[in-house]
């Protein structure tokens, strides 16, 4: 059987899944006579089917992830270049107490797996193994001796007490307190206070020489056994930094096992591409949007003038910045938003086409969610038939665009599975709250979105079974094109179009949203606005615009991201923000906010400036300022720039001129004056 240009190999895993080839083919939208050609032991007795499919050269989709390493090994042995992808239908659907009703879900999972993954750009990391072990006692030295043959080790002891002297100083040991740290794997930089070398004469315990402050240190790897405050925010996400509990020997050994592998050249995904031209952080030293700065857990984002700076080496790929960025300047790429929405589309449309109803989307990450679902399938009842698992790299990457697309494509509810006691879920909570407000405002009711934070499979199953059977919105089929914001607007407008009517009343054309939402209106007090147009030059999206031919201010609500730059820039302080979503078509067109008559030059009649502003200035300055004491001087304010220059050159009186300078007198002038004096004048 073929699906979206891929050859499909499905195995019922020795009959442990109740699959029917003809039924599966029908669920996948294949012709009536087509069958899935199910295998029973594809990885063993029927492995020749895999060999034949490889030799045919068509891209393969194998419905098994457990034996993926074996299939990859077989592919390498045959030196095949045939692309092979894998999808799990066993733990997610076939191993379930509701497996008999799971055929629509299996068809949906297969359809979603046909969406290709784009090639991801990477950033290089290089480590030579220069390692700092930071501790307080002899345990740091013991750890150093374990790694001494594998890494270039230095031990730094923070305020050490009673550390035994070393008969052989084969491991460098220094004293120091790390005051500041920055960097990443292969490029850590430390500022160290109380830095001192050990005294060779140390006898019973190590003694150190005179300390100095502000010493600089560089290293590739840090193993922090101090037990104190972490050197970095979200330290567990910092590549090359290990901070095991020094009182937990097993945790320390796990850290050492990982550290010894961090020597060489590595590549990490470029999680976020930053588009500075779209950034709404600031304009002209006025601050607007700080959303990404507020949610980044690792400090990979910092202010950089009117923009922000991303450090891809520090970024841990949580995706929170992309989830909250209103303009798309922080573009999360693992995968891109359009690819994620395309998978949603394939999953949910295939589920509906196969007869599935009231789909519940269970979004999870691979690290926490996949093992929990596997445990539920192996030791419990498995996932309910209407629950569609959807794996993402990080649950904190989910924004309003994802949830809007999910409901537009026909899901009835969305649940996000998270590990308990996570402290980085604020951006996800904001996205869930915003989506809940939108759905509630459109009349879909409450309780369609939720967060399940558990590590217990039984609690997960109980939470999923307790979900009410809510009717899903009529599914759309639009292609997810454009940016995250474009996808969100496509989904929200479809949801408005198919929203239920309450007692015959259609859904509202505008839905109020909580503060911080990336959609909304700008309210301008027209009476106080002077049309200085500072807001236009500050607006990063063009939502506020002017007219070069006429003094007017216009606003396009569809383009507004509620960054607040216009509000912070306005000198008259007459702008306020109104978070909302406007479904009317008029929201995409410029709306006149204020306009005035232009002032016409009294000399050439050319329009310039604003009539009320020119008259107000002339009234305030006329007769009240020494430069404009005369009427012809105040008239220059009523002239355009060209005529003002002409009038200035025609003026016989220079307002800036001083008193006439005296004539230069020469010796001849004095002789002439003396000759003209009366002859009878007596000399003085």
């Amino acid at each position: 059987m073929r699906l979206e240009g891929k050859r499909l190999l499905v195995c019922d895993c020795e009959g442990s899944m109740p699959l029917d080839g003809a039924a599966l083919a029908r669920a996948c939208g294949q012709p009536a006579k087509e069958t899935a050609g199910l295998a029973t032991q594809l990885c063993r007795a029927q492995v020749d089917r895999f060999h034949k499919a490889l030799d045919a050269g068509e891209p393969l989709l194998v419905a098994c992830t457990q034996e993926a390493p074996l299939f990859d090994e077989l592919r390498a042995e045959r030196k095949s270049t045939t692309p092979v992808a894998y999808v799990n239908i066993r733990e997610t659907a076939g191993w379930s107490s509701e497996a008999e009703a799971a055929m629509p879900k299996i068809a949906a999972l297969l359809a979603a797996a046909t969406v290709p993954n784009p090639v991801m750009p990477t950033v290089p990391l290089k480590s030579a193994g220069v390692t700092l072990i930071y501790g307080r006692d002899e345990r740091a030295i013991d750890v150093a001796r374990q790694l001494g043959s594998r890494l270039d080790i230095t031990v730094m002891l923070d305020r050490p007490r009673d550390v035994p002297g070393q008969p052989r100083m084969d491991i460098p040991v220094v004293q120091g307190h790390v005051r500041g740290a920055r960097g990443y794997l292969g490029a850590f930089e430390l500022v160290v206070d109380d830095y001192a070398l050990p005294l060779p004469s140390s006898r019973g315990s190590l003694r150190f020489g005179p300390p100095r402050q502000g010493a600089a240190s560089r290293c590739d790897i840090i193993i922090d056994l101090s037990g104190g405050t972490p050197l970095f925010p979200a330290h567990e996400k910092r590549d090359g930094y290990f901070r095991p509990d020094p009182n937990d020997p097993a945790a320390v050994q796990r850290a050492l096992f990982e550290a010894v592998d961090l020597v060489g050249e590595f590549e990490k995904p470029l999680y976020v591409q930053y588009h500075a031209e779209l950034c709404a952080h600031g304009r002209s030293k006025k601050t607007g949007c700080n959303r990404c700065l507020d949610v980044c857990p690792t400090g990979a984002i910092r202010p950089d003038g009117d923009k922000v700076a991303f450090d891809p080496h520090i970024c841990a790929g949580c995706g929170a910045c992309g989830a909250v960025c209103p303009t798309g300047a922080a573009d999360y790429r693992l995968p891109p938003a359009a690819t994620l929405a395309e998978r949603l589309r394939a999953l949910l449309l295939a589920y509906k086409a196969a007869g599935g109803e009231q789909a519940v989307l269970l979004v999870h990450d691979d690290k926490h969610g996949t093992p929990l679902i596997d445990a539920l399938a192996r030791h419990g009842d498995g996932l309910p038939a209407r629950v569609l698992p959807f794996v993402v790299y990080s649950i904190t990457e989910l924004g309003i665009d994802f949830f809007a697309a999910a409901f537009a494509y026909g899901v009835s509810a969305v649940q996000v599975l998270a590990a308990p006691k996570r402290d980085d879920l604020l951006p996800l909570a904001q996205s869930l709250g915003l989506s809940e407000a939108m759905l509630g405002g459109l009349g879909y009711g409450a309780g369609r979105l939720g967060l399940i934070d558990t590590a217990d499979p039984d609690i997960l199953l109980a939470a999923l079974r307790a979900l009410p059977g809510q009717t899903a919105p009529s599914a759309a089929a639009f292609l997810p094109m454009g940016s995250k914001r474009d996808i969100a607007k496509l989904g929200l407008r479809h949801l408005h179009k198919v929203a239920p009517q309450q007692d015959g009343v259609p859904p509202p054309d505008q839905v109020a949203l909580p503060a911080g939402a990336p959609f909304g209106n700008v309210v301008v007090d027209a009476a106080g606005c002077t049309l200085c147009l500072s807001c236009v030059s500050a607006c990063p999206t063009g939502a506020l615009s002017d007219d070069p031919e006429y003094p007017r201010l216009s606003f396009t609500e569809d383009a507004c991201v509620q960054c607040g730059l216009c509000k912070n820039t306005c000198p008259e302080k007459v702008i306020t923000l109104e978070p909302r979503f406007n479904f009317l078509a008029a929201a995409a067109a410029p709306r006149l906010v204020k306009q005035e008559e232009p002032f016409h030059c009294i000399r050439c009649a050319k329009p310039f400036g604003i009539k009320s502003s020119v008259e107000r200035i002339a009234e305030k300055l006329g007769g009240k300022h020494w430069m404009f004491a005369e009427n012809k001087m105040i008239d220059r304010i009523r002239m355009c720039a060209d005529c003002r220059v002409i009038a200035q050159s025609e003026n016989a009186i220079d307002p800036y001129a001083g008193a006439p300078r005296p004539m230069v007198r020469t010796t001849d002038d004095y002789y002439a004056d003396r000759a003209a004096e009366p002859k009878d004048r007596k000399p003085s």
Side-chain angles (χ1 to χ4, degrees), residues 54-77:
L54 275 181
D55 295 341
E58 292 181 276
L60 289 182
L61 177 61
V62 180
C64 176
T65 53
Q66 175 180 285
E67 300 298 331
L70 171 63
F71 292 128
D72 285 339
E73 183 180 346
L74 295 174
R75 177 173 177 265
E77 288 178 356

Side-chain angles (χ1 to χ4, degrees), residues 82-409:
T82 300
V84 181
Y86 304 94
V87 57
N88 184 0
I89 64 171
R90 188 180 67 178
E91 284 84 358
T92 56
W95 281 1
S96 169
S97 60
E98 300 181 18
E100 296 287 349
M103 195 62 71
K105 179 178 16 178
I106 294 175
L109 294 172
L110 294 174
T114 63
V115 178
N117 285 319
V119 177
M120 296 300 301
T122 59
V123 292
L125 296 173
K126 185 176 181 179
S127 167
V130 178
T131 303
L132 175 71
I133 298 180
Y134 185 50
R136 295 183 183 273
D137 49 38
E138 63 271 19
R139 288 178 295 184
I141 299 176
D142 293 340
V143 166
R145 296 197 185 282
Q146 293 185 54
L147 299 178
S149 62
R150 304 287 300 276
L151 301 173
D152 183 358
I153 301 291
T154 298
V155 176
M156 181 180 293
L157 299 177
D158 182 14
R159 305 179 183 93
R161 290 185 179 180
D162 300 326
V163 177
Q166 303 299 305
R168 181 180 176 84
M169 295 299 287
D170 52 342
I171 298 291
V173 179
V174 298
Q175 172 186 281
H177 171 73
V178 178
R179 176 176 19 121
R182 65 179 183 178
Y184 47 87
L185 173 64
F188 286 112
E189 298 180 4
L190 308 176
V191 178
V192 181
D193 287 339
D194 297 328
Y195 177 80
L197 297 175
L199 295 175
S201 59
S202 299
R203 186 175 181 181
S205 60
L206 281 179
R207 294 180 297 112
F208 294 87
R212 64 187 180 94
Q213 312 302 318
S217 176
R218 296 174 181 268
C219 59
D220 299 324
I221 303 168
I222 300 175
I223 300 176
D224 186 353
L225 301 177
S226 66
T229 303
L231 301 182
F232 301 97
H235 61 88
E236 68 281 356
K237 301 178 185 292
R238 184 71 57 128
D239 293 328
Y241 177 69
F242 300 93
R243 186 180 172 271
D245 182 355
N247 298 314
D248 184 349
V252 172
Q253 292 303 313
R254 285 195 297 269
L256 303 188
F257 182 78
E258 295 180 28
V260 295
D261 286 335
L262 295 183
V263 180
E265 297 183 2
F266 308 92
E267 290 184 342
K268 67 179 290 185
L270 180 64
Y271 297 108
V272 178
Q273 286 187 336
Y274 176 58
H275 305 284
E277 69 278 7
L278 301 178
C279 185
H281 173 59
R283 290 291 186 276
S284 303
K285 298 184 179 180
K286 296 289 185 179
T287 302
C289 178
N290 277 329
R291 291 175 173 94
C292 63
L293 294 167
D294 293 338
V295 301
C296 180
T298 63
I301 311 174
R302 58 178 176 80
D304 186 19
D306 288 342
K307 310 296 181 183
V308 297
F310 275 72
D311 191 333
H313 300 91
I314 297 177
C315 176
C318 70
C321 57
V324 301
C325 180
T327 64
D331 185 11
Y332 191 69
R333 307 296 297 173
L334 199 68
T339 301
L340 206 62
E342 179 60 29
R343 287 183 192 161
L344 274 178
R345 179 178 184 271
L347 180 82
L348 295 169
L349 294 186
Y351 181 77
K352 179 184 177 183
E357 296 180 349
Q358 297 182 351
V360 174
L361 192 70
L362 179 63
V363 190
H364 64 92
D365 59 21
D366 199 45
K367 183 178 181 181
H368 174 70
T370 299
L372 203 61
I373 293 172
D374 288 352
L376 184 60
R378 292 175 179 273
H379 308 291
D381 287 342
L383 291 177
R386 72 186 185 110
V387 175
L388 308 181
F390 192 87
V391 63
V392 295
Y393 184 79
S394 171
I395 58 174
T396 50
E397 71 180 85
L398 305 177
I400 179 64
D401 58 297
F402 178 87
F403 297 115
F407 283 98
Y409 288 137

